[in-house]
């Protein structure tokens, strides 16, 4: 970027120096030479304006301090000098309305540059907004994925709780069954014990009698 700016500045310096030299030659040139010099100078002015436009865009893109205003002031000074040399249309065959056209053209170019800058800012704002939307979408997708993972975890936990509850129910039923069997066995043992006691008592009674 800096190398391109330096290149534009060098080209601009060469063009303005060439225009100044040609303006000096106008003072002593004959009619044919003046016509040729006028065309060359006007072409040089257009080229210089184009260079300044490119230079201003490069400065804006780089964010560095711009010297375009100083260059435009210098170019306007050269144009004024050219106007003074061409103030006698009969002598130099110059249409002074062209200078007003240049001034109007510069204003139009400045407006175009300002509009371009606004469009660039709008484009950057839209790009930034689109980036924010994409980031928000990504965050939302990540949150949804996390919620889905948590839901699956909760569902698995509920499944394990149901399995644990079923196992507890089976264990409770098993314990109840074991307790009933233990009570039944105790009842049977009690009856057997009573029968044995009765038989022993009967045997003792019979042995005594």
């Amino acid at each position: 970027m800096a190398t391109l700016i330096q290149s534009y500045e060098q080209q601009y310096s060469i063009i303005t120096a060439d225009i100044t030299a040609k303006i000096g030659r106008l003072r002593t040139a004959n009619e044919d030479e003046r016509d040729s010099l006028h065309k060359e100078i006007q072409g040089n002015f257009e080229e210089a304006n184009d260079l300044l436009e490119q230079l201003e865009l490069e400065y804006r893109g780089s964010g560095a301090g711009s010297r375009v205003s100083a260059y435009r002031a210098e170019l306007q000074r050269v144009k004024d000098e050219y106007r003074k040399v061409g103030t006698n249309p009969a002598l130099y065959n110059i249409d002074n309305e062209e200078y007003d056209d240049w001034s109007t053209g510069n204003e139009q170019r400045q407006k175009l540059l300002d509009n371009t800058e606004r469009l660039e800012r709008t484009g950057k704002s839209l790009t930034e907004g689109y980036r924010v939307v994409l980031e928000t979408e990504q965050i939302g997708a990540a949150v949804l994925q996390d919620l889905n993972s948590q839901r699956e975890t909760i569902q698995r936990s509920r499944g394990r709780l149901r399995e644990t509850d079923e196992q507890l129910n089976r264990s409770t039923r098993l314990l109840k069954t074991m307790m009933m069997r233990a009570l039944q066995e105790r009842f049977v043992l009690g009856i057997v014990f009573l029968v044995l006691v009765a038989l022993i008592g009967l045997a003792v009674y019979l042995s005594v009698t």
Side-chain angles (χ1 to χ4, degrees), residues 147-183:
L147 289 175
N148 186 47
S149 177
Q150 292 179 4
R151 186 187 64 174
E152 292 177 354
T153 302
I154 292 172
Q155 289 178 346
R156 287 195 296 268
S157 299
R158 286 180 178 176
R160 286 194 292 269
L161 287 174
R162 284 195 294 268
E163 292 176 359
T164 303
D165 186 56
E166 291 176 358
Q167 291 176 358
L168 287 174
N169 290 333
R170 286 196 296 269
S171 299
T172 301
R173 288 195 297 269
L174 181 61
L175 286 173
K176 288 181 179 179
T177 302
M178 293 175 65
M179 290 178 65
M180 291 296 296
R181 288 179 180 177
L183 289 174

Side-chain angles (χ1 to χ4, degrees), residues 22-23 33 45 57 78 146 204:
K22 289 175 181 177
I23 291 173
E33 291 175 345
F45 277 132
L57 290 175
V78 176
D146 186 46
V204 171

Side-chain angles (χ1 to χ4, degrees), residues 89-107:
L91 180 61
Y92 295 106
N93 192 23
I94 300 174
D95 185 2
N96 289 326
E97 291 181 357
E98 292 181 358
Y99 300 100
D100 296 333
D101 293 339
W102 287 344
S103 178
T104 303
N106 286 333
E107 292 178 0

Side-chain angles (χ1 to χ4, degrees), residues 18-30 33-34 36-37 40-41 85 92:
D18 189 29
I19 293 173
T20 302
K22 289 175 181 177
I23 291 173
R25 288 166 55 190
L26 275 174
R27 303 178 188 278
T28 58
N30 57 40
E33 291 175 345
R34 283 196 299 270
S36 177
L37 288 171
E40 292 178 5
I41 291 172
V85 174
Y92 295 106

Side-chain angles (χ1 to χ4, degrees), residues 18-209:
D18 189 29
I19 293 173
T20 302
K22 289 175 181 177
I23 291 173
R25 288 166 55 190
L26 275 174
R27 303 178 188 278
T28 58
N30 57 40
E31 186 174 354
D32 293 336
E33 291 175 345
R34 283 196 299 270
D35 291 339
S36 177
L37 288 171
H38 284 313
K39 292 179 181 179
E40 292 178 5
I41 291 172
Q42 291 170 13
N44 291 145
F45 277 132
E46 292 178 358
E47 187 177 357
N49 283 326
D50 292 339
L51 274 175
L52 290 180
E53 290 176 7
Q54 293 295 326
L55 189 59
E56 187 165 6
L57 290 175
E58 293 298 328
Y59 270 122
R60 290 181 180 180
S62 66
S66 176
R67 293 191 291 269
V68 175
S69 297
Y71 292 147
R72 289 192 184 280
E74 180 185 4
L75 187 63
Q76 187 60 47
R77 180 186 60 77
V78 176
K79 288 178 180 179
D80 292 339
E81 184 179 353
Y82 180 46
R83 183 198 294 267
K84 292 177 183 179
V85 174
T87 52
N88 188 348
L91 180 61
Y92 295 106
N93 192 23
I94 300 174
D95 185 2
N96 289 326
E97 291 181 357
E98 292 181 358
Y99 300 100
D100 296 333
D101 293 339
W102 287 344
S103 178
T104 303
N106 286 333
E107 292 178 0
Q108 292 177 349
R109 290 189 186 94
Q110 186 62 39
K111 289 180 180 179
L112 287 174
L113 288 173
D114 293 339
N115 291 334
T116 301
E117 185 178 5
R118 282 194 293 269
L119 288 174
E120 289 178 353
R121 288 198 299 267
T122 303
K124 289 179 181 178
S125 299
L126 290 174
T127 302
E128 182 66 18
Y130 181 67
R131 184 184 64 80
V132 172
V133 169
L134 288 179
E135 290 180 354
T136 304
E137 184 180 359
Q138 292 175 356
I139 293 172
V143 171
L144 288 175
Q145 185 177 2
D146 186 46
L147 289 175
N148 186 47
S149 177
Q150 292 179 4
R151 186 187 64 174
E152 292 177 354
T153 302
I154 292 172
Q155 289 178 346
R156 287 195 296 268
S157 299
R158 286 180 178 176
R160 286 194 292 269
L161 287 174
R162 284 195 294 268
E163 292 176 359
T164 303
D165 186 56
E166 291 176 358
Q167 291 176 358
L168 287 174
N169 290 333
R170 286 196 296 269
S171 299
T172 301
R173 288 195 297 269
L174 181 61
L175 286 173
K176 288 181 179 179
T177 302
M178 293 175 65
M179 290 178 65
M180 291 296 296
R181 288 179 180 177
L183 289 174
Q184 290 174 357
E185 290 176 355
R186 288 182 181 182
F187 180 73
V188 171
L189 288 173
I191 293 175
V192 171
F193 179 73
L194 291 175
V195 171
L196 288 174
V197 170
L199 290 173
I200 291 172
L202 181 62
V204 171
Y205 176 75
L206 292 174
S207 64
V208 172
T209 59

